[in-house]
Amino acid sequence: MAETTKAAPAPSRRTRGTRTPRAKDAATPDAPEPNAPTPAADAETLVGYYRQMLLIRRFEERAARAYTEAKIGGYCHLNLGEEATVVGLMAALRPSDYLFTNYREHGYALAKGIGADRVMAELYGRSTGVSKGWGGSMHLFDAEARLLGGYGIVGGQVPLATGAALAVSYKGGDEVVMCHMGDGTAAIGAFHESLNIAALWDLPVVFVVINNGLGMGTTVENSAAEPELYRRGAAYRMESARVDGTNVVAVRDAARVAVERARSQSKPYLLETTSPRLKGHSVVDPARYRSKEEKEALKAADPLARMALELEEAGILSHEDRDALDAKVMAEVDAAAAFADESPAPDVSTLFDYTYATPVPGELRRLPADAVFGS
Ligand SMILES: Cc1ncc(C[n+]2csc(CCOP(=O)(O)OP(=O)(O)O)c2C)c(N)n1
Ligand SMILES: [Mg+2]
């Protein structure tokens, strides 16, 4: 039998001495003021961000339509209202950085560079989808793009992301792990356990709480004793900040600070973004718990409309340019939907190919339509 030599593990960033010693006075500093003035970015960059935001908006609207046409099954949660947050956060990452998100993740997959066709095909449950059609809307996964899911269990991604950051740290890499979650998720036990261990072990992970003010129909004020969620970092001496999630450049710059701290100092960070959820919790939720006035006020908070106006006023993107861009984006989304429609469903014989659990002796692994007893 060939002898196997186990390579010594690469020195972790801890042993390489790049970490600063744990300072006893490293309590959370004051967060920057929400709604700080928009930092500068050149015109081309801004138009690029706008295009990505528009793609997410049109993709999500198309997904909602496809859901009502019964082309998409299961649950379907949209990023409508979070476009600036999504694009700003992804602009702060390198392609080699890892991303964990929750079930509201179509936009993140698009902004991480995965084609709209493969994302839409996954929503349709087709074999050409990012998860080969077995994941669906809530379980987008693409190891090559370093999108490590898409999780339907509230907070399920948070300990996993912390573990991924431990792996990066152990191997001595310089990748950063970013982990998104909603405001409701900041109340669960695993959130606190993960932040504690990440701070204790100096893990290169950026936790991002996407605060849309609601966990399904429950407001943050009604469910959180400390509704300024970024302040929870203080309990773990973790640097933290809150940023206006409707401002793409402000989000990018706040995320860059967080990512840089994780990358060069191997310190975790807690970033909170605030943005509206423009529609219901999922496609099937009519959001009757919201008043008429509240629904009306949402229009003024729309990050896409806000950016369109800003770009027009700055002379960067005229109304006509915007319409032309919209037409191109719509064509891309139409093509993605057509690709999904024409793609085959996965073969049923592959149903168990990607299951994670170790086979149990004597367990019956039946496929749909197999006989319950006998062969
Ligand atoms: C462990 C667990 N409990 C409950 C649910 C049902 N559930 C799905 S989404 C959700 C609300 C989460 O709210 P938030 O974290 O704010 O994220 P958002 O949907 O607003 O993006 C709940 C309770 C679940 N999926 N998993
Ligand atoms: Mg929420």
PDB file of all heavy atoms in Angstrom, residues 114 117-137 139-144 339 343-348 350-351 353-355:
ATOM      1  N   ILE A 114     -22.909  35.207 -11.606  1.00  0.00           N
ATOM      2  CA  ILE A 114     -23.535  34.017 -12.188  1.00  0.00           C
ATOM      3  C   ILE A 114     -24.579  34.483 -13.215  1.00  0.00           C
ATOM      4  O   ILE A 114     -25.326  35.427 -12.959  1.00  0.00           O
ATOM      5  CB  ILE A 114     -24.190  33.145 -11.083  1.00  0.00           C
ATOM      6  CG1 ILE A 114     -23.132  32.766 -10.031  1.00  0.00           C
ATOM      7  CG2 ILE A 114     -24.838  31.907 -11.670  1.00  0.00           C
ATOM      8  CD1 ILE A 114     -23.686  32.060  -8.808  1.00  0.00           C
ATOM      9  N   ASP A 117     -29.354  33.315 -16.823  1.00  0.00           N
ATOM     10  CA  ASP A 117     -29.974  32.102 -17.375  1.00  0.00           C
ATOM     11  C   ASP A 117     -29.861  30.932 -16.379  1.00  0.00           C
ATOM     12  O   ASP A 117     -30.844  30.228 -16.121  1.00  0.00           O
ATOM     13  CB  ASP A 117     -29.357  31.735 -18.725  1.00  0.00           C
ATOM     14  CG  ASP A 117     -27.831  31.743 -18.730  1.00  0.00           C
ATOM     15  OD1 ASP A 117     -27.216  32.079 -17.692  1.00  0.00           O
ATOM     16  OD2 ASP A 117     -27.249  31.389 -19.772  1.00  0.00           O
ATOM     17  N   ARG A 118     -28.692  30.756 -15.773  1.00  0.00           N
ATOM     18  CA  ARG A 118     -28.506  29.635 -14.838  1.00  0.00           C
ATOM     19  C   ARG A 118     -29.266  29.860 -13.521  1.00  0.00           C
ATOM     20  O   ARG A 118     -29.685  28.914 -12.864  1.00  0.00           O
ATOM     21  CB  ARG A 118     -27.019  29.417 -14.562  1.00  0.00           C
ATOM     22  CG  ARG A 118     -26.267  28.882 -15.774  1.00  0.00           C
ATOM     23  CD  ARG A 118     -24.798  28.706 -15.486  1.00  0.00           C
ATOM     24  NE  ARG A 118     -24.567  27.744 -14.428  1.00  0.00           N
ATOM     25  CZ  ARG A 118     -23.730  27.945 -13.402  1.00  0.00           C
ATOM     26  NH1 ARG A 118     -23.043  29.055 -13.308  1.00  0.00           N
ATOM     27  NH2 ARG A 118     -23.565  27.015 -12.493  1.00  0.00           N
ATOM     28  N   VAL A 119     -29.401  31.115 -13.148  1.00  0.00           N
ATOM     29  CA  VAL A 119     -30.160  31.407 -11.911  1.00  0.00           C
ATOM     30  C   VAL A 119     -31.649  31.161 -12.162  1.00  0.00           C
ATOM     31  O   VAL A 119     -32.332  30.489 -11.380  1.00  0.00           O
ATOM     32  CB  VAL A 119     -29.900  32.854 -11.418  1.00  0.00           C
ATOM     33  CG1 VAL A 119     -30.672  33.117 -10.125  1.00  0.00           C
ATOM     34  CG2 VAL A 119     -28.398  33.093 -11.181  1.00  0.00           C
ATOM     35  N   MET A 120     -32.141  31.659 -13.294  1.00  0.00           N
ATOM     36  CA  MET A 120     -33.569  31.469 -13.602  1.00  0.00           C
ATOM     37  C   MET A 120     -33.870  29.976 -13.774  1.00  0.00           C
ATOM     38  O   MET A 120     -34.907  29.479 -13.306  1.00  0.00           O
ATOM     39  CB  MET A 120     -33.944  32.244 -14.868  1.00  0.00           C
ATOM     40  CG  MET A 120     -35.435  32.345 -15.110  1.00  0.00           C
ATOM     41  SD  MET A 120     -36.304  33.338 -13.865  1.00  0.00           S
ATOM     42  CE  MET A 120     -36.196  34.975 -14.587  1.00  0.00           C
ATOM     43  N   ALA A 121     -32.959  29.259 -14.425  1.00  0.00           N
ATOM     44  CA  ALA A 121     -33.182  27.822 -14.643  1.00  0.00           C
ATOM     45  C   ALA A 121     -33.281  27.086 -13.292  1.00  0.00           C
ATOM     46  O   ALA A 121     -34.045  26.127 -13.156  1.00  0.00           O
ATOM     47  CB  ALA A 121     -32.060  27.236 -15.492  1.00  0.00           C
ATOM     48  N   GLU A 122     -32.538  27.551 -12.304  1.00  0.00           N
ATOM     49  CA  GLU A 122     -32.629  26.917 -10.987  1.00  0.00           C
ATOM     50  C   GLU A 122     -33.997  27.193 -10.360  1.00  0.00           C
ATOM     51  O   GLU A 122     -34.606  26.303  -9.755  1.00  0.00           O
ATOM     52  CB  GLU A 122     -31.513  27.431 -10.060  1.00  0.00           C
ATOM     53  CG  GLU A 122     -31.399  26.659  -8.746  1.00  0.00           C
ATOM     54  CD  GLU A 122     -31.176  25.171  -8.967  1.00  0.00           C
ATOM     55  OE1 GLU A 122     -30.351  24.800  -9.814  1.00  0.00           O
ATOM     56  OE2 GLU A 122     -31.844  24.360  -8.277  1.00  0.00           O
ATOM     57  N   LEU A 123     -34.482  28.403 -10.525  1.00  0.00           N
ATOM     58  CA  LEU A 123     -35.812  28.734  -9.996  1.00  0.00           C
ATOM     59  C   LEU A 123     -36.881  27.846 -10.646  1.00  0.00           C
ATOM     60  O   LEU A 123     -37.861  27.460 -10.010  1.00  0.00           O
ATOM     61  CB  LEU A 123     -36.133  30.216 -10.263  1.00  0.00           C
ATOM     62  CG  LEU A 123     -35.741  31.226  -9.186  1.00  0.00           C
ATOM     63  CD1 LEU A 123     -34.292  31.112  -8.772  1.00  0.00           C
ATOM     64  CD2 LEU A 123     -36.028  32.641  -9.655  1.00  0.00           C
ATOM     65  N   TYR A 124     -36.682  27.537 -11.921  1.00  0.00           N
ATOM     66  CA  TYR A 124     -37.626  26.690 -12.656  1.00  0.00           C
ATOM     67  C   TYR A 124     -37.408  25.198 -12.335  1.00  0.00           C
ATOM     68  O   TYR A 124     -38.140  24.349 -12.822  1.00  0.00           O
ATOM     69  CB  TYR A 124     -37.453  26.888 -14.163  1.00  0.00           C
ATOM     70  CG  TYR A 124     -38.137  28.107 -14.769  1.00  0.00           C
ATOM     71  CD1 TYR A 124     -37.965  29.382 -14.248  1.00  0.00           C
ATOM     72  CD2 TYR A 124     -38.944  27.973 -15.895  1.00  0.00           C
ATOM     73  CE1 TYR A 124     -38.565  30.484 -14.823  1.00  0.00           C
ATOM     74  CE2 TYR A 124     -39.555  29.074 -16.483  1.00  0.00           C
ATOM     75  CZ  TYR A 124     -39.353  30.329 -15.946  1.00  0.00           C
ATOM     76  OH  TYR A 124     -39.948  31.422 -16.533  1.00  0.00           O
ATOM     77  N   GLY A 125     -36.348  24.904 -11.561  1.00  0.00           N
ATOM     78  CA  GLY A 125     -36.058  23.508 -11.217  1.00  0.00           C
ATOM     79  C   GLY A 125     -35.526  22.703 -12.397  1.00  0.00           C
ATOM     80  O   GLY A 125     -35.831  21.514 -12.540  1.00  0.00           O
ATOM     81  N   ARG A 126     -34.707  23.336 -13.214  1.00  0.00           N
ATOM     82  CA  ARG A 126     -34.191  22.660 -14.419  1.00  0.00           C
ATOM     83  C   ARG A 126     -32.726  22.252 -14.230  1.00  0.00           C
ATOM     84  O   ARG A 126     -31.989  22.871 -13.455  1.00  0.00           O
ATOM     85  CB  ARG A 126     -34.323  23.579 -15.648  1.00  0.00           C
ATOM     86  CG  ARG A 126     -35.747  24.076 -15.889  1.00  0.00           C
ATOM     87  CD  ARG A 126     -36.737  22.927 -16.029  1.00  0.00           C
ATOM     88  NE  ARG A 126     -38.118  23.376 -15.975  1.00  0.00           N
ATOM     89  CZ  ARG A 126     -38.881  23.573 -17.046  1.00  0.00           C
ATOM     90  NH1 ARG A 126     -38.392  23.342 -18.255  1.00  0.00           N
ATOM     91  NH2 ARG A 126     -40.119  23.983 -16.912  1.00  0.00           N
ATOM     92  N   SER A 127     -32.337  21.241 -14.990  1.00  0.00           N
ATOM     93  CA  SER A 127     -30.996  20.663 -14.801  1.00  0.00           C
ATOM     94  C   SER A 127     -29.871  21.626 -15.184  1.00  0.00           C
ATOM     95  O   SER A 127     -28.724  21.428 -14.799  1.00  0.00           O
ATOM     96  CB  SER A 127     -30.863  19.379 -15.617  1.00  0.00           C
ATOM     97  OG  SER A 127     -31.013  19.685 -16.982  1.00  0.00           O
ATOM     98  N   THR A 128     -30.192  22.680 -15.916  1.00  0.00           N
ATOM     99  CA  THR A 128     -29.186  23.672 -16.302  1.00  0.00           C
ATOM    100  C   THR A 128     -29.004  24.748 -15.230  1.00  0.00           C
ATOM    101  O   THR A 128     -28.210  25.668 -15.397  1.00  0.00           O
ATOM    102  CB  THR A 128     -29.601  24.363 -17.618  1.00  0.00           C
ATOM    103  OG1 THR A 128     -30.957  24.825 -17.455  1.00  0.00           O
ATOM    104  CG2 THR A 128     -29.531  23.427 -18.804  1.00  0.00           C
ATOM    105  N   GLY A 129     -29.742  24.625 -14.152  1.00  0.00           N
ATOM    106  CA  GLY A 129     -29.664  25.620 -13.082  1.00  0.00           C
ATOM    107  C   GLY A 129     -28.381  25.509 -12.271  1.00  0.00           C
ATOM    108  O   GLY A 129     -27.669  24.494 -12.352  1.00  0.00           O
ATOM    109  N   VAL A 130     -28.086  26.544 -11.475  1.00  0.00           N
ATOM    110  CA  VAL A 130     -26.839  26.565 -10.694  1.00  0.00           C
ATOM    111  C   VAL A 130     -26.698  25.369  -9.771  1.00  0.00           C
ATOM    112  O   VAL A 130     -25.597  24.910  -9.506  1.00  0.00           O
ATOM    113  CB  VAL A 130     -26.669  27.838  -9.827  1.00  0.00           C
ATOM    114  CG1 VAL A 130     -26.087  28.963 -10.615  1.00  0.00           C
ATOM    115  CG2 VAL A 130     -27.939  28.250  -9.140  1.00  0.00           C
ATOM    116  N   SER A 131     -27.809  24.873  -9.247  1.00  0.00           N
ATOM    117  CA  SER A 131     -27.761  23.700  -8.366  1.00  0.00           C
ATOM    118  C   SER A 131     -28.330  22.473  -9.075  1.00  0.00           C
ATOM    119  O   SER A 131     -28.912  21.588  -8.451  1.00  0.00           O
ATOM    120  CB  SER A 131     -28.532  23.965  -7.065  1.00  0.00           C
ATOM    121  OG  SER A 131     -28.115  25.171  -6.478  1.00  0.00           O
ATOM    122  N   LYS A 132     -28.194  22.451 -10.388  1.00  0.00           N
ATOM    123  CA  LYS A 132     -28.655  21.357 -11.254  1.00  0.00           C
ATOM    124  C   LYS A 132     -30.164  21.085 -11.118  1.00  0.00           C
ATOM    125  O   LYS A 132     -30.642  19.988 -11.371  1.00  0.00           O
ATOM    126  CB  LYS A 132     -27.864  20.071 -10.963  1.00  0.00           C
ATOM    127  CG  LYS A 132     -26.356  20.209 -11.190  1.00  0.00           C
ATOM    128  CD  LYS A 132     -25.694  18.877 -11.026  1.00  0.00           C
ATOM    129  CE  LYS A 132     -24.213  18.803 -11.210  1.00  0.00           C
ATOM    130  NZ  LYS A 132     -23.435  19.915 -11.577  1.00  0.00           N
ATOM    131  N   GLY A 133     -30.881  22.097 -10.654  1.00  0.00           N
ATOM    132  CA  GLY A 133     -32.330  21.964 -10.547  1.00  0.00           C
ATOM    133  C   GLY A 133     -32.817  21.335  -9.261  1.00  0.00           C
ATOM    134  O   GLY A 133     -34.021  21.270  -9.023  1.00  0.00           O
ATOM    135  N   TRP A 134     -31.914  20.911  -8.407  1.00  0.00           N
ATOM    136  CA  TRP A 134     -32.328  20.252  -7.173  1.00  0.00           C
ATOM    137  C   TRP A 134     -32.461  21.215  -5.992  1.00  0.00           C
ATOM    138  O   TRP A 134     -32.933  20.837  -4.926  1.00  0.00           O
ATOM    139  CB  TRP A 134     -31.326  19.139  -6.790  1.00  0.00           C
ATOM    140  CG  TRP A 134     -31.351  17.945  -7.697  1.00  0.00           C
ATOM    141  CD1 TRP A 134     -30.296  17.406  -8.372  1.00  0.00           C
ATOM    142  CD2 TRP A 134     -32.475  17.124  -8.026  1.00  0.00           C
ATOM    143  NE1 TRP A 134     -30.679  16.318  -9.102  1.00  0.00           N
ATOM    144  CE2 TRP A 134     -32.024  16.129  -8.904  1.00  0.00           C
ATOM    145  CE3 TRP A 134     -33.833  17.158  -7.674  1.00  0.00           C
ATOM    146  CZ2 TRP A 134     -32.873  15.155  -9.439  1.00  0.00           C
ATOM    147  CZ3 TRP A 134     -34.668  16.186  -8.208  1.00  0.00           C
ATOM    148  CH2 TRP A 134     -34.182  15.199  -9.067  1.00  0.00           C
ATOM    149  N   GLY A 135     -32.020  22.450  -6.151  1.00  0.00           N
ATOM    150  CA  GLY A 135     -32.042  23.397  -5.028  1.00  0.00           C
ATOM    151  C   GLY A 135     -33.249  24.308  -5.039  1.00  0.00           C
ATOM    152  O   GLY A 135     -33.909  24.502  -4.033  1.00  0.00           O
ATOM    153  N   GLY A 136     -33.550  24.886  -6.203  1.00  0.00           N
ATOM    154  CA  GLY A 136     -34.656  25.840  -6.289  1.00  0.00           C
ATOM    155  C   GLY A 136     -34.266  27.207  -5.746  1.00  0.00           C
ATOM    156  O   GLY A 136     -33.107  27.452  -5.383  1.00  0.00           O
ATOM    157  N   SER A 137     -35.271  28.058  -5.667  1.00  0.00           N
ATOM    158  CA  SER A 137     -35.065  29.468  -5.316  1.00  0.00           C
ATOM    159  C   SER A 137     -34.244  29.682  -4.040  1.00  0.00           C
ATOM    160  O   SER A 137     -33.407  30.577  -3.979  1.00  0.00           O
ATOM    161  CB  SER A 137     -36.434  30.138  -5.163  1.00  0.00           C
ATOM    162  OG  SER A 137     -36.332  31.338  -4.456  1.00  0.00           O
ATOM    163  N   HIS A 139     -32.045  27.704  -2.587  1.00  0.00           N
ATOM    164  CA  HIS A 139     -30.795  26.954  -2.420  1.00  0.00           C
ATOM    165  C   HIS A 139     -29.873  27.080  -3.621  1.00  0.00           C
ATOM    166  O   HIS A 139     -29.386  26.088  -4.156  1.00  0.00           O
ATOM    167  CB  HIS A 139     -31.116  25.476  -2.122  1.00  0.00           C
ATOM    168  CG  HIS A 139     -31.991  25.306  -0.937  1.00  0.00           C
ATOM    169  ND1 HIS A 139     -33.321  24.976  -1.032  1.00  0.00           N
ATOM    170  CD2 HIS A 139     -31.745  25.476   0.380  1.00  0.00           C
ATOM    171  CE1 HIS A 139     -33.845  24.924   0.179  1.00  0.00           C
ATOM    172  NE2 HIS A 139     -32.910  25.227   1.054  1.00  0.00           N
ATOM    173  N   LEU A 140     -29.639  28.322  -4.019  1.00  0.00           N
ATOM    174  CA  LEU A 140     -28.671  28.557  -5.100  1.00  0.00           C
ATOM    175  C   LEU A 140     -27.280  28.269  -4.539  1.00  0.00           C
ATOM    176  O   LEU A 140     -26.959  28.683  -3.428  1.00  0.00           O
ATOM    177  CB  LEU A 140     -28.757  30.006  -5.577  1.00  0.00           C
ATOM    178  CG  LEU A 140     -30.128  30.493  -6.057  1.00  0.00           C
ATOM    179  CD1 LEU A 140     -30.052  31.958  -6.477  1.00  0.00           C
ATOM    180  CD2 LEU A 140     -30.653  29.652  -7.209  1.00  0.00           C
ATOM    181  N   PHE A 141     -26.477  27.580  -5.317  1.00  0.00           N
ATOM    182  CA  PHE A 141     -25.142  27.186  -4.846  1.00  0.00           C
ATOM    183  C   PHE A 141     -24.226  27.087  -6.054  1.00  0.00           C
ATOM    184  O   PHE A 141     -24.567  26.461  -7.043  1.00  0.00           O
ATOM    185  CB  PHE A 141     -25.230  25.821  -4.141  1.00  0.00           C
ATOM    186  CG  PHE A 141     -23.955  25.405  -3.450  1.00  0.00           C
ATOM    187  CD1 PHE A 141     -23.803  25.602  -2.089  1.00  0.00           C
ATOM    188  CD2 PHE A 141     -22.908  24.826  -4.159  1.00  0.00           C
ATOM    189  CE1 PHE A 141     -22.630  25.221  -1.432  1.00  0.00           C
ATOM    190  CE2 PHE A 141     -21.734  24.449  -3.524  1.00  0.00           C
ATOM    191  CZ  PHE A 141     -21.590  24.645  -2.150  1.00  0.00           C
ATOM    192  N   ASP A 142     -23.063  27.715  -5.981  1.00  0.00           N
ATOM    193  CA  ASP A 142     -22.107  27.628  -7.083  1.00  0.00           C
ATOM    194  C   ASP A 142     -20.703  27.753  -6.507  1.00  0.00           C
ATOM    195  O   ASP A 142     -20.228  28.865  -6.243  1.00  0.00           O
ATOM    196  CB  ASP A 142     -22.387  28.743  -8.106  1.00  0.00           C
ATOM    197  CG  ASP A 142     -21.529  28.593  -9.367  1.00  0.00           C
ATOM    198  OD1 ASP A 142     -20.502  27.881  -9.313  1.00  0.00           O
ATOM    199  OD2 ASP A 142     -21.890  29.190 -10.394  1.00  0.00           O
ATOM    200  N   ALA A 143     -20.068  26.602  -6.319  1.00  0.00           N
ATOM    201  CA  ALA A 143     -18.745  26.595  -5.670  1.00  0.00           C
ATOM    202  C   ALA A 143     -17.737  27.405  -6.479  1.00  0.00           C
ATOM    203  O   ALA A 143     -16.879  28.084  -5.906  1.00  0.00           O
ATOM    204  CB  ALA A 143     -18.267  25.162  -5.493  1.00  0.00           C
ATOM    205  N   GLU A 144     -17.851  27.345  -7.821  1.00  0.00           N
ATOM    206  CA  GLU A 144     -16.903  28.069  -8.663  1.00  0.00           C
ATOM    207  C   GLU A 144     -17.003  29.579  -8.431  1.00  0.00           C
ATOM    208  O   GLU A 144     -15.992  30.272  -8.342  1.00  0.00           O
ATOM    209  CB  GLU A 144     -17.209  27.750 -10.132  1.00  0.00           C
ATOM    210  CG  GLU A 144     -15.984  27.817 -11.005  1.00  0.00           C
ATOM    211  CD  GLU A 144     -16.314  27.325 -12.391  1.00  0.00           C
ATOM    212  OE1 GLU A 144     -16.820  26.185 -12.530  1.00  0.00           O
ATOM    213  OE2 GLU A 144     -16.090  28.104 -13.325  1.00  0.00           O
ATOM    214  N   PHE A 339     -34.532  30.333 -21.758  1.00  0.00           N
ATOM    215  CA  PHE A 339     -33.542  29.270 -21.517  1.00  0.00           C
ATOM    216  C   PHE A 339     -34.072  28.315 -20.436  1.00  0.00           C
ATOM    217  O   PHE A 339     -34.010  27.080 -20.591  1.00  0.00           O
ATOM    218  CB  PHE A 339     -32.228  29.912 -21.056  1.00  0.00           C
ATOM    219  CG  PHE A 339     -31.175  28.935 -20.607  1.00  0.00           C
ATOM    220  CD1 PHE A 339     -30.403  28.244 -21.531  1.00  0.00           C
ATOM    221  CD2 PHE A 339     -30.938  28.719 -19.247  1.00  0.00           C
ATOM    222  CE1 PHE A 339     -29.417  27.344 -21.115  1.00  0.00           C
ATOM    223  CE2 PHE A 339     -29.959  27.824 -18.820  1.00  0.00           C
ATOM    224  CZ  PHE A 339     -29.205  27.134 -19.756  1.00  0.00           C
ATOM    225  N   SER A 343     -35.135  24.281 -20.931  1.00  0.00           N
ATOM    226  CA  SER A 343     -34.197  23.325 -20.331  1.00  0.00           C
ATOM    227  C   SER A 343     -34.939  22.117 -19.760  1.00  0.00           C
ATOM    228  O   SER A 343     -36.080  22.241 -19.289  1.00  0.00           O
ATOM    229  CB  SER A 343     -33.412  23.995 -19.200  1.00  0.00           C
ATOM    230  OG  SER A 343     -32.571  24.990 -19.716  1.00  0.00           O
ATOM    231  N   PRO A 344     -34.297  20.955 -19.760  1.00  0.00           N
ATOM    232  CA  PRO A 344     -34.967  19.767 -19.217  1.00  0.00           C
ATOM    233  C   PRO A 344     -34.952  19.745 -17.692  1.00  0.00           C
ATOM    234  O   PRO A 344     -34.073  20.338 -17.063  1.00  0.00           O
ATOM    235  CB  PRO A 344     -34.107  18.618 -19.764  1.00  0.00           C
ATOM    236  CG  PRO A 344     -32.755  19.214 -19.985  1.00  0.00           C
ATOM    237  CD  PRO A 344     -32.964  20.659 -20.306  1.00  0.00           C
ATOM    238  N   ALA A 345     -35.907  19.035 -17.128  1.00  0.00           N
ATOM    239  CA  ALA A 345     -35.908  18.793 -15.682  1.00  0.00           C
ATOM    240  C   ALA A 345     -34.782  17.799 -15.383  1.00  0.00           C
ATOM    241  O   ALA A 345     -34.389  17.027 -16.267  1.00  0.00           O
ATOM    242  CB  ALA A 345     -37.252  18.215 -15.256  1.00  0.00           C
ATOM    243  N   PRO A 346     -34.234  17.804 -14.168  1.00  0.00           N
ATOM    244  CA  PRO A 346     -33.193  16.814 -13.872  1.00  0.00           C
ATOM    245  C   PRO A 346     -33.758  15.403 -13.926  1.00  0.00           C
ATOM    246  O   PRO A 346     -34.949  15.200 -13.665  1.00  0.00           O
ATOM    247  CB  PRO A 346     -32.737  17.177 -12.452  1.00  0.00           C
ATOM    248  CG  PRO A 346     -33.779  18.089 -11.902  1.00  0.00           C
ATOM    249  CD  PRO A 346     -34.539  18.676 -13.035  1.00  0.00           C
ATOM    250  N   ASP A 347     -32.897  14.460 -14.266  1.00  0.00           N
ATOM    251  CA  ASP A 347     -33.359  13.077 -14.334  1.00  0.00           C
ATOM    252  C   ASP A 347     -33.617  12.571 -12.915  1.00  0.00           C
ATOM    253  O   ASP A 347     -32.798  12.788 -12.014  1.00  0.00           O
ATOM    254  CB  ASP A 347     -32.279  12.211 -15.007  1.00  0.00           C
ATOM    255  CG  ASP A 347     -32.853  10.869 -15.406  1.00  0.00           C
ATOM    256  OD1 ASP A 347     -33.112  10.037 -14.502  1.00  0.00           O
ATOM    257  OD2 ASP A 347     -33.069  10.666 -16.614  1.00  0.00           O
ATOM    258  N   VAL A 348     -34.734  11.915 -12.747  1.00  0.00           N
ATOM    259  CA  VAL A 348     -35.136  11.503 -11.396  1.00  0.00           C
ATOM    260  C   VAL A 348     -34.123  10.521 -10.773  1.00  0.00           C
ATOM    261  O   VAL A 348     -33.984  10.454  -9.554  1.00  0.00           O
ATOM    262  CB  VAL A 348     -36.579  10.940 -11.421  1.00  0.00           C
ATOM    263  CG1 VAL A 348     -36.620   9.533 -11.954  1.00  0.00           C
ATOM    264  CG2 VAL A 348     -37.222  11.045 -10.051  1.00  0.00           C
ATOM    265  N   THR A 350     -31.149  10.916 -10.513  1.00  0.00           N
ATOM    266  CA  THR A 350     -30.069  11.649  -9.834  1.00  0.00           C
ATOM    267  C   THR A 350     -30.546  12.279  -8.523  1.00  0.00           C
ATOM    268  O   THR A 350     -29.831  13.066  -7.912  1.00  0.00           O
ATOM    269  CB  THR A 350     -29.496  12.764 -10.747  1.00  0.00           C
ATOM    270  OG1 THR A 350     -30.525  13.744 -10.982  1.00  0.00           O
ATOM    271  CG2 THR A 350     -29.016  12.227 -12.084  1.00  0.00           C
ATOM    272  N   LEU A 351     -31.756  11.884  -8.105  1.00  0.00           N
ATOM    273  CA  LEU A 351     -32.376  12.523  -6.923  1.00  0.00           C
ATOM    274  C   LEU A 351     -31.478  12.495  -5.686  1.00  0.00           C
ATOM    275  O   LEU A 351     -31.412  13.460  -4.934  1.00  0.00           O
ATOM    276  CB  LEU A 351     -33.715  11.850  -6.605  1.00  0.00           C
ATOM    277  CG  LEU A 351     -34.542  12.468  -5.487  1.00  0.00           C
ATOM    278  CD1 LEU A 351     -34.929  13.906  -5.816  1.00  0.00           C
ATOM    279  CD2 LEU A 351     -35.813  11.654  -5.242  1.00  0.00           C
ATOM    280  N   ASP A 353     -28.131  11.965  -5.706  1.00  0.00           N
ATOM    281  CA  ASP A 353     -26.707  12.141  -6.025  1.00  0.00           C
ATOM    282  C   ASP A 353     -26.026  13.222  -5.200  1.00  0.00           C
ATOM    283  O   ASP A 353     -24.827  13.172  -4.976  1.00  0.00           O
ATOM    284  CB  ASP A 353     -26.520  12.476  -7.517  1.00  0.00           C
ATOM    285  CG  ASP A 353     -26.713  11.243  -8.392  1.00  0.00           C
ATOM    286  OD1 ASP A 353     -27.053  10.179  -7.840  1.00  0.00           O
ATOM    287  OD2 ASP A 353     -26.543  11.354  -9.624  1.00  0.00           O
ATOM    288  N   TYR A 354     -26.767  14.204  -4.787  1.00  0.00           N
ATOM    289  CA  TYR A 354     -26.131  15.329  -4.080  1.00  0.00           C
ATOM    290  C   TYR A 354     -26.586  15.430  -2.633  1.00  0.00           C
ATOM    291  O   TYR A 354     -26.464  16.474  -2.020  1.00  0.00           O
ATOM    292  CB  TYR A 354     -26.395  16.630  -4.843  1.00  0.00           C
ATOM    293  CG  TYR A 354     -25.952  16.511  -6.282  1.00  0.00           C
ATOM    294  CD1 TYR A 354     -26.868  16.233  -7.292  1.00  0.00           C
ATOM    295  CD2 TYR A 354     -24.602  16.603  -6.616  1.00  0.00           C
ATOM    296  CE1 TYR A 354     -26.454  16.065  -8.611  1.00  0.00           C
ATOM    297  CE2 TYR A 354     -24.180  16.436  -7.925  1.00  0.00           C
ATOM    298  CZ  TYR A 354     -25.114  16.167  -8.911  1.00  0.00           C
ATOM    299  OH  TYR A 354     -24.695  15.997 -10.203  1.00  0.00           O
ATOM    300  N   THR A 355     -27.124  14.354  -2.104  1.00  0.00           N
ATOM    301  CA  THR A 355     -27.521  14.388  -0.694  1.00  0.00           C
ATOM    302  C   THR A 355     -26.258  14.228   0.148  1.00  0.00           C
ATOM    303  O   THR A 355     -25.276  13.609  -0.265  1.00  0.00           O
ATOM    304  CB  THR A 355     -28.543  13.295  -0.341  1.00  0.00           C
ATOM    305  OG1 THR A 355     -28.045  12.059  -0.815  1.00  0.00           O
ATOM    306  CG2 THR A 355     -29.895  13.582  -0.943  1.00  0.00           C
TER     307      THR A 355
END
